[in-house]
PDB file of all heavy atoms in Angstrom:
ATOM      1  N   THR M   1       5.378  21.238 -17.234  1.00 98.00           N
ATOM      2  CA  THR M   1       4.252  20.656 -16.522  1.00 98.00           C
ATOM      3  C   THR M   1       4.336  19.134 -16.633  1.00 98.00           C
ATOM      4  O   THR M   1       4.404  18.588 -17.738  1.00 98.00           O
ATOM      5  CB  THR M   1       2.920  21.163 -17.093  1.00 98.00           C
ATOM      6  OG1 THR M   1       2.913  22.597 -17.000  1.00 98.00           O
ATOM      7  CG2 THR M   1       1.741  20.619 -16.309  1.00 98.00           C
ATOM      8  N   VAL M   2       4.377  18.481 -15.480  1.00 98.00           N
ATOM      9  CA  VAL M   2       4.586  17.029 -15.424  1.00 98.00           C
ATOM     10  C   VAL M   2       3.682  16.414 -14.361  1.00 98.00           C
ATOM     11  O   VAL M   2       3.176  17.102 -13.476  1.00 98.00           O
ATOM     12  CB  VAL M   2       6.048  16.671 -15.103  1.00 98.00           C
ATOM     13  CG1 VAL M   2       6.971  16.988 -16.268  1.00 98.00           C
ATOM     14  CG2 VAL M   2       6.533  17.395 -13.844  1.00 98.00           C
ATOM     15  N   THR M   3       3.529  15.096 -14.456  1.00 98.00           N
ATOM     16  CA  THR M   3       2.870  14.343 -13.396  1.00 98.00           C
ATOM     17  C   THR M   3       3.626  13.038 -13.177  1.00 98.00           C
ATOM     18  O   THR M   3       4.600  12.739 -13.869  1.00 98.00           O
ATOM     19  CB  THR M   3       1.381  14.087 -13.709  1.00 98.00           C
ATOM     20  OG1 THR M   3       0.736  13.591 -12.538  1.00 98.00           O
ATOM     21  CG2 THR M   3       1.195  13.101 -14.862  1.00 98.00           C
ATOM     22  N   GLY M   4       3.171  12.266 -12.219  1.00 98.00           N
ATOM     23  CA  GLY M   4       3.780  10.988 -11.877  1.00 98.00           C
ATOM     24  C   GLY M   4       3.097  10.484 -10.618  1.00 98.00           C
ATOM     25  O   GLY M   4       2.229  11.167 -10.062  1.00 98.00           O
ATOM     26  N   PHE M   5       3.485   9.317 -10.167  1.00 98.00           N
ATOM     27  CA  PHE M   5       2.867   8.693  -8.994  1.00 98.00           C
ATOM     28  C   PHE M   5       2.877   9.668  -7.816  1.00 98.00           C
ATOM     29  O   PHE M   5       3.905  10.238  -7.479  1.00 98.00           O
ATOM     30  CB  PHE M   5       3.624   7.423  -8.633  1.00 98.00           C
ATOM     31  CG  PHE M   5       2.819   6.389  -7.904  1.00 98.00           C
ATOM     32  CD1 PHE M   5       1.674   5.860  -8.466  1.00 98.00           C
ATOM     33  CD2 PHE M   5       3.225   5.913  -6.662  1.00 98.00           C
ATOM     34  CE1 PHE M   5       0.939   4.877  -7.808  1.00 98.00           C
ATOM     35  CE2 PHE M   5       2.495   4.934  -5.998  1.00 98.00           C
ATOM     36  CZ  PHE M   5       1.352   4.412  -6.565  1.00 98.00           C
ATOM     37  N   THR M   6       1.707   9.872  -7.206  1.00 98.00           N
ATOM     38  CA  THR M   6       1.579  10.872  -6.149  1.00 98.00           C
ATOM     39  C   THR M   6       2.088  10.349  -4.809  1.00 98.00           C
ATOM     40  O   THR M   6       2.135   9.143  -4.576  1.00 98.00           O
ATOM     41  CB  THR M   6       0.106  11.292  -5.965  1.00 98.00           C
ATOM     42  OG1 THR M   6      -0.630  10.175  -5.433  1.00 98.00           O
ATOM     43  CG2 THR M   6      -0.530  11.724  -7.278  1.00 98.00           C
ATOM     44  N   ASN M   7       2.443  11.273  -3.931  1.00 98.00           N
ATOM     45  CA  ASN M   7       2.841  10.884  -2.576  1.00 98.00           C
ATOM     46  C   ASN M   7       1.725  10.121  -1.872  1.00 98.00           C
ATOM     47  O   ASN M   7       1.979   9.169  -1.125  1.00 98.00           O
ATOM     48  CB  ASN M   7       3.209  12.120  -1.748  1.00 98.00           C
ATOM     49  CG  ASN M   7       4.504  12.772  -2.225  1.00 98.00           C
ATOM     50  OD1 ASN M   7       5.211  12.242  -3.079  1.00 98.00           O
ATOM     51  ND2 ASN M   7       4.819  13.929  -1.672  1.00 98.00           N
ATOM     52  N   THR M   8       0.478  10.538  -2.110  1.00 98.00           N
ATOM     53  CA  THR M   8      -0.640   9.871  -1.436  1.00 98.00           C
ATOM     54  C   THR M   8      -0.905   8.482  -2.023  1.00 98.00           C
ATOM     55  O   THR M   8      -1.325   7.570  -1.298  1.00 98.00           O
ATOM     56  CB  THR M   8      -1.921  10.728  -1.509  1.00 98.00           C
ATOM     57  OG1 THR M   8      -2.107  11.193  -2.846  1.00 98.00           O
ATOM     58  CG2 THR M   8      -1.823  11.918  -0.570  1.00 98.00           C
ATOM     59  N   GLU M   9      -0.615   8.298  -3.305  1.00 98.00           N
ATOM     60  CA  GLU M   9      -0.721   6.956  -3.887  1.00 98.00           C
ATOM     61  C   GLU M   9       0.362   6.045  -3.306  1.00 98.00           C
ATOM     62  O   GLU M   9       0.112   4.868  -3.020  1.00 98.00           O
ATOM     63  CB  GLU M   9      -0.622   7.026  -5.418  1.00 98.00           C
ATOM     64  CG  GLU M   9      -1.898   7.574  -6.066  1.00 98.00           C
ATOM     65  CD  GLU M   9      -1.753   7.902  -7.539  1.00 98.00           C
ATOM     66  OE1 GLU M   9      -0.637   8.296  -7.973  1.00 98.00           O
ATOM     67  OE2 GLU M   9      -2.757   7.791  -8.267  1.00 98.00           O
ATOM     68  N   GLU M  10       1.570   6.602  -3.117  1.00 98.00           N
ATOM     69  CA  GLU M  10       2.655   5.813  -2.509  1.00 98.00           C
ATOM     70  C   GLU M  10       2.289   5.421  -1.077  1.00 98.00           C
ATOM     71  O   GLU M  10       2.535   4.288  -0.636  1.00 98.00           O
ATOM     72  CB  GLU M  10       3.974   6.603  -2.535  1.00 98.00           C
ATOM     73  CG  GLU M  10       5.215   5.749  -2.417  1.00 98.00           C
ATOM     74  CD  GLU M  10       5.438   4.860  -3.635  1.00 98.00           C
ATOM     75  OE1 GLU M  10       5.977   5.330  -4.652  1.00 98.00           O
ATOM     76  OE2 GLU M  10       5.063   3.669  -3.559  1.00 98.00           O
ATOM     77  N   GLU M  11       1.678   6.374  -0.352  1.00 98.00           N
ATOM     78  CA  GLU M  11       1.182   6.056   0.999  1.00 98.00           C
ATOM     79  C   GLU M  11       0.141   4.943   0.928  1.00 98.00           C
ATOM     80  O   GLU M  11       0.113   4.046   1.775  1.00 98.00           O
ATOM     81  CB  GLU M  11       0.530   7.290   1.639  1.00 98.00           C
ATOM     82  CG  GLU M  11       1.508   8.313   2.181  1.00 98.00           C
ATOM     83  CD  GLU M  11       0.799   9.608   2.564  1.00 98.00           C
ATOM     84  OE1 GLU M  11      -0.414   9.550   2.902  1.00 98.00           O
ATOM     85  OE2 GLU M  11       1.444  10.668   2.523  1.00 98.00           O
ATOM     86  N   GLY M  12      -0.699   5.011  -0.103  1.00 97.00           N
ATOM     87  CA  GLY M  12      -1.772   4.035  -0.261  1.00 97.00           C
ATOM     88  C   GLY M  12      -1.276   2.610  -0.438  1.00 97.00           C
ATOM     89  O   GLY M  12      -1.941   1.661  -0.008  1.00 97.00           O
ATOM     90  N   VAL M  13      -0.101   2.459  -1.055  1.00 96.00           N
ATOM     91  CA  VAL M  13       0.462   1.114  -1.219  1.00 96.00           C
ATOM     92  C   VAL M  13       1.476   0.792  -0.125  1.00 96.00           C
ATOM     93  O   VAL M  13       2.101  -0.272  -0.130  1.00 96.00           O
ATOM     94  CB  VAL M  13       1.103   0.918  -2.622  1.00 96.00           C
ATOM     95  CG1 VAL M  13       0.033   1.010  -3.697  1.00 96.00           C
ATOM     96  CG2 VAL M  13       2.218   1.917  -2.906  1.00 96.00           C
ATOM     97  N   GLY M  14       1.631   1.720   0.827  1.00 97.00           N
ATOM     98  CA  GLY M  14       2.444   1.458   2.010  1.00 97.00           C
ATOM     99  C   GLY M  14       3.940   1.404   1.785  1.00 97.00           C
ATOM    100  O   GLY M  14       4.664   0.743   2.528  1.00 97.00           O
ATOM    101  N   LEU M  15       4.425   2.129   0.763  1.00 97.00           N
ATOM    102  CA  LEU M  15       5.853   2.021   0.436  1.00 97.00           C
ATOM    103  C   LEU M  15       6.613   3.347   0.561  1.00 97.00           C
ATOM    104  O   LEU M  15       7.750   3.454   0.104  1.00 97.00           O
ATOM    105  CB  LEU M  15       6.017   1.453  -0.987  1.00 97.00           C
ATOM    106  CG  LEU M  15       5.534   0.003  -1.140  1.00 97.00           C
ATOM    107  CD1 LEU M  15       5.574  -0.419  -2.597  1.00 97.00           C
ATOM    108  CD2 LEU M  15       6.383  -0.943  -0.288  1.00 97.00           C
ATOM    109  N   THR M  16       6.001   4.319   1.219  1.00 97.00           N
ATOM    110  CA  THR M  16       6.645   5.631   1.364  1.00 97.00           C
ATOM    111  C   THR M  16       8.035   5.519   1.988  1.00 97.00           C
ATOM    112  O   THR M  16       8.965   6.225   1.578  1.00 97.00           O
ATOM    113  CB  THR M  16       5.760   6.560   2.224  1.00 97.00           C
ATOM    114  OG1 THR M  16       4.473   6.670   1.607  1.00 97.00           O
ATOM    115  CG2 THR M  16       6.360   7.943   2.330  1.00 97.00           C
ATOM    116  N   ASP M  17       8.196   4.641   2.971  1.00 97.00           N
ATOM    117  CA  ASP M  17       9.474   4.514   3.668  1.00 97.00           C
ATOM    118  C   ASP M  17      10.389   3.463   3.052  1.00 97.00           C
ATOM    119  O   ASP M  17      11.488   3.211   3.560  1.00 97.00           O
ATOM    120  CB  ASP M  17       9.230   4.195   5.147  1.00 97.00           C
ATOM    121  CG  ASP M  17       8.485   5.327   5.859  1.00 97.00           C
ATOM    122  OD1 ASP M  17       8.685   6.497   5.469  1.00 97.00           O
ATOM    123  OD2 ASP M  17       7.697   5.031   6.779  1.00 97.00           O
ATOM    124  N   VAL M  18       9.946   2.840   1.965  1.00 97.00           N
ATOM    125  CA  VAL M  18      10.737   1.795   1.307  1.00 97.00           C
ATOM    126  C   VAL M  18      11.454   2.328   0.065  1.00 97.00           C
ATOM    127  O   VAL M  18      12.613   2.007  -0.192  1.00 97.00           O
ATOM    128  CB  VAL M  18       9.836   0.594   0.919  1.00 97.00           C
ATOM    129  CG1 VAL M  18      10.600  -0.417   0.064  1.00 97.00           C
ATOM    130  CG2 VAL M  18       9.273  -0.071   2.171  1.00 97.00           C
ATOM    131  N   VAL M  19      10.759   3.182  -0.678  1.00 98.00           N
ATOM    132  CA  VAL M  19      11.316   3.676  -1.941  1.00 98.00           C
ATOM    133  C   VAL M  19      12.492   4.624  -1.691  1.00 98.00           C
ATOM    134  O   VAL M  19      12.551   5.294  -0.661  1.00 98.00           O
ATOM    135  CB  VAL M  19      10.238   4.395  -2.789  1.00 98.00           C
ATOM    136  CG1 VAL M  19       9.180   3.401  -3.238  1.00 98.00           C
ATOM    137  CG2 VAL M  19       9.598   5.551  -2.021  1.00 98.00           C
ATOM    138  N   PRO M  20      13.456   4.681  -2.636  1.00 98.00           N
ATOM    139  CA  PRO M  20      14.617   5.564  -2.454  1.00 98.00           C
ATOM    140  C   PRO M  20      14.261   7.046  -2.527  1.00 98.00           C
ATOM    141  O   PRO M  20      14.977   7.884  -1.989  1.00 98.00           O
ATOM    142  CB  PRO M  20      15.565   5.160  -3.584  1.00 98.00           C
ATOM    143  CG  PRO M  20      14.712   4.471  -4.604  1.00 98.00           C
ATOM    144  CD  PRO M  20      13.575   3.848  -3.846  1.00 98.00           C
ATOM    145  N   PHE M  21      13.179   7.365  -3.213  1.00 98.00           N
ATOM    146  CA  PHE M  21      12.683   8.750  -3.262  1.00 98.00           C
ATOM    147  C   PHE M  21      11.243   8.708  -3.747  1.00 98.00           C
ATOM    148  O   PHE M  21      10.793   7.709  -4.325  1.00 98.00           O
ATOM    149  CB  PHE M  21      13.544   9.643  -4.169  1.00 98.00           C
ATOM    150  CG  PHE M  21      13.586   9.210  -5.616  1.00 98.00           C
ATOM    151  CD1 PHE M  21      12.691   9.732  -6.552  1.00 98.00           C
ATOM    152  CD2 PHE M  21      14.524   8.282  -6.052  1.00 98.00           C
ATOM    153  CE1 PHE M  21      12.731   9.327  -7.880  1.00 98.00           C
ATOM    154  CE2 PHE M  21      14.565   7.863  -7.384  1.00 98.00           C
ATOM    155  CZ  PHE M  21      13.665   8.393  -8.295  1.00 98.00           C
ATOM    156  N   LEU M  22      10.517   9.795  -3.496  1.00 98.00           N
ATOM    157  CA  LEU M  22       9.131   9.908  -3.946  1.00 98.00           C
ATOM    158  C   LEU M  22       9.089  10.656  -5.284  1.00 98.00           C
ATOM    159  O   LEU M  22       9.704  11.727  -5.412  1.00 98.00           O
ATOM    160  CB  LEU M  22       8.293  10.645  -2.902  1.00 98.00           C
ATOM    161  CG  LEU M  22       8.146   9.918  -1.560  1.00 98.00           C
ATOM    162  CD1 LEU M  22       7.576  10.857  -0.502  1.00 98.00           C
ATOM    163  CD2 LEU M  22       7.270   8.683  -1.704  1.00 98.00           C
ATOM    164  N   VAL M  23       8.398  10.105  -6.250  1.00 98.00           N
ATOM    165  CA  VAL M  23       8.367  10.686  -7.595  1.00 98.00           C
ATOM    166  C   VAL M  23       7.849  12.125  -7.569  1.00 98.00           C
ATOM    167  O   VAL M  23       8.443  13.026  -8.176  1.00 98.00           O
ATOM    168  CB  VAL M  23       7.509   9.815  -8.549  1.00 98.00           C
ATOM    169  CG1 VAL M  23       7.342  10.501  -9.900  1.00 98.00           C
ATOM    170  CG2 VAL M  23       8.147   8.445  -8.730  1.00 98.00           C
ATOM    171  N   GLU M  24       6.753  12.345  -6.854  1.00 98.00           N
ATOM    172  CA  GLU M  24       6.171  13.693  -6.787  1.00 98.00           C
ATOM    173  C   GLU M  24       7.186  14.692  -6.225  1.00 98.00           C
ATOM    174  O   GLU M  24       7.393  15.772  -6.800  1.00 98.00           O
ATOM    175  CB  GLU M  24       4.909  13.677  -5.912  1.00 98.00           C
ATOM    176  CG  GLU M  24       4.290  15.059  -5.728  1.00 98.00           C
ATOM    177  CD  GLU M  24       3.030  15.052  -4.854  1.00 98.00           C
ATOM    178  OE1 GLU M  24       2.348  14.014  -4.771  1.00 98.00           O
ATOM    179  OE2 GLU M  24       2.732  16.113  -4.274  1.00 98.00           O
ATOM    180  N   ASP M  25       7.827  14.336  -5.117  1.00 98.00           N
ATOM    181  CA  ASP M  25       8.798  15.245  -4.487  1.00 98.00           C
ATOM    182  C   ASP M  25       9.979  15.522  -5.403  1.00 98.00           C
ATOM    183  O   ASP M  25      10.462  16.662  -5.497  1.00 98.00           O
ATOM    184  CB  ASP M  25       9.305  14.654  -3.166  1.00 98.00           C
ATOM    185  CG  ASP M  25       8.263  14.698  -2.064  1.00 98.00           C
ATOM    186  OD1 ASP M  25       7.190  15.283  -2.284  1.00 98.00           O
ATOM    187  OD2 ASP M  25       8.534  14.148  -0.976  1.00 98.00           O
ATOM    188  N   MET M  26      10.467  14.474  -6.094  1.00 98.00           N
ATOM    189  CA  MET M  26      11.621  14.639  -6.980  1.00 98.00           C
ATOM    190  C   MET M  26      11.296  15.567  -8.143  1.00 98.00           C
ATOM    191  O   MET M  26      12.085  16.460  -8.486  1.00 98.00           O
ATOM    192  CB  MET M  26      12.074  13.269  -7.496  1.00 98.00           C
ATOM    193  CG  MET M  26      13.274  13.303  -8.454  1.00 98.00           C
ATOM    194  SD  MET M  26      12.812  13.630 -10.184  1.00 98.00           S
ATOM    195  CE  MET M  26      11.959  12.092 -10.599  1.00 98.00           C
ATOM    196  N   LEU M  27      10.128  15.386  -8.761  1.00 98.00           N
ATOM    197  CA  LEU M  27       9.757  16.235  -9.894  1.00 98.00           C
ATOM    198  C   LEU M  27       9.640  17.694  -9.466  1.00 98.00           C
ATOM    199  O   LEU M  27      10.073  18.602 -10.186  1.00 98.00           O
ATOM    200  CB  LEU M  27       8.446  15.739 -10.519  1.00 98.00           C
ATOM    201  CG  LEU M  27       8.520  14.388 -11.243  1.00 98.00           C
ATOM    202  CD1 LEU M  27       7.120  13.901 -11.615  1.00 98.00           C
ATOM    203  CD2 LEU M  27       9.409  14.465 -12.480  1.00 98.00           C
ATOM    204  N   LYS M  28       9.091  17.911  -8.279  1.00 98.00           N
ATOM    205  CA  LYS M  28       8.980  19.282  -7.761  1.00 98.00           C
ATOM    206  C   LYS M  28      10.364  19.872  -7.465  1.00 98.00           C
ATOM    207  O   LYS M  28      10.642  21.026  -7.812  1.00 98.00           O
ATOM    208  CB  LYS M  28       8.129  19.299  -6.489  1.00 98.00           C
ATOM    209  CG  LYS M  28       6.640  19.079  -6.735  1.00 98.00           C
ATOM    210  CD  LYS M  28       5.905  19.000  -5.398  1.00 98.00           C
ATOM    211  CE  LYS M  28       4.402  18.842  -5.579  1.00 98.00           C
ATOM    212  NZ  LYS M  28       3.723  18.616  -4.275  1.00 98.00           N
ATOM    213  N   SER M  29      11.227  19.074  -6.840  1.00 98.00           N
ATOM    214  CA  SER M  29      12.550  19.604  -6.471  1.00 98.00           C
ATOM    215  C   SER M  29      13.413  19.873  -7.700  1.00 98.00           C
ATOM    216  O   SER M  29      14.331  20.693  -7.653  1.00 98.00           O
ATOM    217  CB  SER M  29      13.270  18.654  -5.505  1.00 98.00           C
ATOM    218  OG  SER M  29      13.606  17.448  -6.145  1.00 98.00           O
TER     219      SER M  29
END
């Protein structure tokens, strides 16, 4: 069981398309 910066928080700072990967997606995958 883990957590980390959420996809919606990344959207909130406007960097979804800038970062090399999303923390939430990576932890799930």
Side-chain angles (χ1 to χ4, degrees):
T1 302
V2 289
T3 191
F5 206 59
T6 68
N7 291 352
T8 47
E9 286 169 328
E10 201 68 82
E11 282 170 27
V13 295
L15 294 173
T16 303
D17 297 328
V18 172
V19 294
F21 61 93
L22 295 167
V23 173
E24 177 180 335
D25 288 354
M26 179 276 291
L27 291 171
K28 288 175 178 174
S29 67

